Amino acid sequence: MAAVPNQQYLQALVDMGSNGIRFSISDLSPPTARVLPTIYQDRCGVSLYDAQYSTGKKAAIPDNIIKEVLAALLRFKTTCRDFGVADQNVRIVATEATREAINSVEYRQLLETRTGWRVEMLAKEEEGRIGAMGVASSFSSLKGLVMDLGGGSVQLTWMIAMEGEVQTSPQGSVSLPYGAAALTRLLAEAETSGSRAASQLQQEMTAKFKQAIKDLQIPSAITHATKNEDGLTLYLSGGGFRGWGYILMVSHEIQPYPIPLINGFQVFKSSFLPKAVAESSINNSTFGISSRRASQVPAVSFLITALTNALPSLTTIRFAQGGLREGLLFSSLPVSIRRKHPLITATIPHAPPSTDALLQLLKSGIPSPRHDLKIPKPAFLTDPALLIALVHLLNTHSPLPKDIRAVAAVRSTTSGVVASAHGLAHEDRALLALALCERWDGEVSPSDTVFHSKLQELVGKEQSWWARYVGRVAQAVGECYPAGIVRDGEERIGFNAGWGVDKKGERCVEVQVRLRRDDEVIPSFVGDLEKVGKKKNWIGGRDGWGIKVEVEVVRDLGKT
């Protein structure tokens, strides 16, 4: 039975955007508030922007559209009552299409009278700031430019988000009239104005983007990155950009791309440009692309070309699910909550009683990186959140039948217990899933074999091998502590891991597995750990990547 949320922490939001109206109810109760858990969400496909230009010229929001919006709000009011959301915890926030409407005042007054809820109007600058906070919620940390693409406008600013502290431009954000719907209309007008009109529009857009970047006064912490090999990172949010992200997934070199979530998806500039996208992937049958989004793709492609022309130092593009809704919620959280790592927060409800002891035990089974060795460092050590999350989920799948534990584990971050977590990078989802799969023997069904291999492609052979090794250490820990309880003086297993050289003079991982003195039978997990280092089990087979593992069993735990 699902846990009943504490009603005092429920927050309902209506995001009345230009391209659609989004309804949500979120549970901001401890300890998972950082990942903004959603318990209900819906969308009304009304475009307030298109409704005002249905005749080709700007007009008031039509009565039939107002009736449709009102009906959707009244349904949501009933839903809020069903979930027990207090009226004071409900917000309706309107953006540009409502702000610029000819009948904006009358429209908002009618909605307020009929629903009893006040409609808040965001100023241009505030809309950009809140949208940027939504992007900040989508990553554990970030540093770069942030762009939010709406229906009527696009907002651009810079951001540095570290340890819950968020810095943005003192000028707020620059708003330009190049939203997906607005630009679609501009391009249609350009087509009727002659062959040079579209080229002139793109030159105008590029110039305005360059001026916007200059006006934002980007700090040296970001501009310095543009001068070294890291380059500039651009974070994108908004429906138009998310649609482009799904198109890039279809065109990705890994096919099928294994993680169907836009948040945390990352590409490099060469893959981001329109010329890198196959025309066949741009249609409304593409996963995540509605017919409306498909019709706006040419405009988004046009905008991307102008944007990249204005940003020659751009190297990396990261997509965010976070927008106005997430920004409003994230802004309401104290820094002490915002600074928490989303991966740790998302998995903490599953944490075993002796998390700290199990974490130290797991760490002791992984050899520390050495700078003199040309061996990639395991991500589970460079990013501590991964190892903590692995400990949290160590025994989560134990109630399942043995045949499907590994399968459920490998799917846990995309359609399982961690799938809904907000703020996770795709690489983190893949690494955690691969390690959890190995914790349960690593044997997946034929239908899941391709998915498993695509996760490995996503993180690369080296990190895939480390995920396998760490997962096997976790298997040993989990089998010895199935309840997740470690009692002082009653240790059941220990590790000493380091680097050595085998008989052939090749570098290897040396692991001393410490067992109890009265444990006369060598557990099967000892052999499983050693098998990870066999060349036939390397990622890619004998000609792939891996490290030999030599295991020594020592019985020195417990009373003499």
Side-chain angles (χ1 to χ4, degrees):
M1 182 180 294
V4 178
N6 190 327
Q7 294 178 350
Q8 68 172 315
Y9 293 106
L10 297 183
Q11 298 286 331
L13 272 175
V14 181
D15 173 7
M16 197 174 294
S18 299
N19 264 334
I21 301 173
R22 297 164 184 82
F23 306 88
S24 66
I25 300 175
S26 303
D27 178 10
L28 299 187
S29 59
T32 57
R34 167 61 181 85
V35 292
L36 312 177
T38 303
I39 62 172
Y40 172 83
Q41 57 185 326
D42 195 12
R43 184 179 185 275
C44 174
V46 168
S47 170
L48 293 175
Y49 183 91
D50 285 352
Q52 296 175 63
Y53 287 94
S54 58
T55 62
K57 294 183 178 180
K58 185 172 182 177
I61 301 174
D63 288 343
N64 65 310
I65 295 298
I66 294 175
K67 289 179 181 178
E68 189 173 350
V69 173
L70 179 58
L73 283 171
L74 292 174
R75 285 195 301 273
F76 186 56
K77 191 174 181 71
T78 300
T79 300
C80 288
R81 186 173 68 246
D82 291 346
F83 278 97
V85 183
D87 274 347
Q88 63 267 27
N89 289 348
V90 180
R91 295 180 69 180
I92 304 179
V93 180
T95 56
E96 184 176 23
T98 301
R99 184 173 60 240
E100 301 296 329
I102 294 172
N103 56 340
S104 176
V105 175
E106 297 83 359
Y107 169 65
R108 287 181 283 126
Q109 286 178 343
L110 175 63
L111 298 184
E112 291 176 8
T113 300
R114 295 293 304 276
T115 65
W117 291 335
R118 185 173 70 88
V119 179
E120 301 177 39
M121 184 67 66
L122 288 185
K124 277 186 179 182
E125 296 76 17
E126 184 68 1
E127 184 178 341
R129 187 190 72 82
I130 294 296
M133 289 295 287
V135 175
S137 76
S138 304
F139 303 94
S140 57
S141 63
L142 64 86
K143 181 168 63 176
L145 294 183
V146 175
M147 182 172 275
D148 184 7
L149 179 63
S153 63
V154 61
Q155 316 285 334
L156 178 66
T157 189
W158 60 261
M159 176 178 287
I160 299 174
M162 300 284 178
E163 294 292 320
E165 298 283 359
V166 180
Q167 302 175 53
T168 59
S169 173
Q171 282 71 35
S173 64
V174 176
S175 179
L176 297 173
Y178 303 132
L183 190 53
T184 298
R185 184 171 60 86
L186 289 174
L187 283 175
E189 293 174 355
E191 287 181 5
T192 63
S193 301
S195 59
R196 295 188 59 191
S199 176
Q200 290 173 345
L201 175 61
Q202 190 159 97
Q203 290 174 11
E204 171 196 307
M205 291 173 63
T206 298
K208 287 191 175 182
F209 279 131
K210 287 181 177 179
Q211 186 60 48
I213 293 166
K214 182 178 179 180
D215 292 342
L216 287 171
Q217 299 178 19
I218 301 174
S220 59
I222 294 176
T223 57
H224 177 72
T226 67
K227 299 174 183 178
N228 59 35
E229 60 183 17
D230 295 332
L232 179 66
T233 300
L234 177 65
Y235 298 84
L236 301 179
S237 68
F241 281 142
R242 287 195 290 271
W244 189 255
Y246 282 117
I247 290 171
L248 295 181
M249 284 186 187
V250 175
S251 300
H252 201 277
E253 61 183 356
I254 300 174
Q255 288 299 318
Y257 189 80
I259 301 179
L261 298 163
I262 197 62
N263 196 86
F265 178 55
Q266 174 178 301
V267 295
F268 295 109
K269 183 179 179 179
S270 58
S271 302
F272 179 62
L273 298 174
K275 64 183 180 181
V277 177
E279 289 291 330
S280 59
S281 65
I282 305 176
N283 57 72
N284 59 4
S285 65
T286 300
F287 177 80
I289 303 292
S290 65
S291 56
R292 175 176 172 75
R293 289 300 179 201
S295 69
Q296 294 176 346
V297 164
V300 177
S301 172
F302 193 84
L303 183 147
I304 286 170
T305 300
L307 176 64
T308 51
N309 288 340
L311 291 171
S313 59
L314 177 65
T315 57
T316 307
I317 297 89
R318 302 182 72 182
F319 291 84
Q321 179 65 41
L324 191 68
R325 166 192 169 266
E326 291 79 8
L328 288 165
L329 294 172
F330 196 61
S331 297
S332 71
L333 299 176
V335 173
S336 59
I337 292 179
R338 294 205 305 251
R339 68 161 52 104
K340 294 183 178 180
H341 196 291
L343 186 55
I344 296 173
T345 303
T347 55
I348 201 168
H350 305 274
S354 300
T355 292
D356 290 343
L358 292 170
L359 178 62
Q360 295 306 314
L361 185 57
L362 193 53
K363 279 184 179 179
S364 68
I366 307 171
S368 300
R370 277 179 45 179
H371 299 294
D372 60 320
L373 299 180
K374 295 181 179 180
I375 295 175
K377 298 177 182 178
F380 284 87
L381 291 184
T382 57
D383 184 359
L386 278 169
L387 207 60
I388 295 172
L390 179 58
V391 171
H392 285 171
L393 300 175
L394 190 65
N395 297 316
T396 299
H397 298 96
S398 60
L400 300 178
K402 183 180 179 181
D403 295 345
I404 62 171
R405 288 173 185 166
V407 172
V410 81
R411 297 276 185 177
S412 62
T413 62
T414 50
S415 58
V417 294
V418 195
S420 64
H422 178 65
L424 309 187
H426 282 200
E427 291 77 10
D428 287 352
R429 289 183 186 271
L431 285 167
L432 182 57
L434 290 170
L436 283 169
C437 181
E438 294 300 321
R439 186 268 178 263
W440 297 107
D441 294 331
E443 185 176 351
V444 298
S445 65
S447 61
D448 293 286
T449 300
V450 172
F451 175 76
H452 183 272
S453 68
K454 297 306 175 183
L455 290 180
Q456 290 182 331
E457 284 187 50
L458 181 59
V459 299
K461 293 180 179 180
E462 295 89 347
Q463 293 302 334
S464 292
W465 186 88
W466 278 117
R468 177 173 289 178
Y469 174 84
V470 172
R472 289 298 175 166
V473 176
Q475 176 190 29
V477 174
E479 287 189 16
C480 290
Y481 297 101
I485 298 173
V486 179
R487 296 185 178 89
D488 290 340
E490 297 182 18
E491 291 78 9
R492 302 168 192 172
I493 191 171
F495 300 98
N496 289 313
W499 297 97
V501 178
D502 66 9
K503 296 178 180 178
K504 297 181 180 179
E506 296 179 354
R507 185 64 62 186
C508 68
V509 174
E510 293 181 339
V511 187
Q512 188 181 77
V513 179
R514 302 171 63 204
L515 301 175
R516 292 181 60 83
R517 289 183 173 85
D518 55 3
D519 191 353
E520 298 181 358
V521 178
I522 297 178
S524 60
F525 59 68
V526 172
D528 292 338
L529 182 59
E530 198 162 37
K531 287 178 184 177
V532 174
K534 301 293 185 183
K535 285 191 175 182
K536 66 178 181 180
N537 295 323
W538 285 7
I539 307 301
R542 295 182 181 277
D543 296 325
W545 197 93
I547 307 171
K548 185 175 182 178
V549 178
E550 293 190 345
V551 179
E552 176 190 9
V553 176
V554 177
R555 292 183 175 85
D556 62 351
L557 299 178
K559 297 179 180 179
T560 56

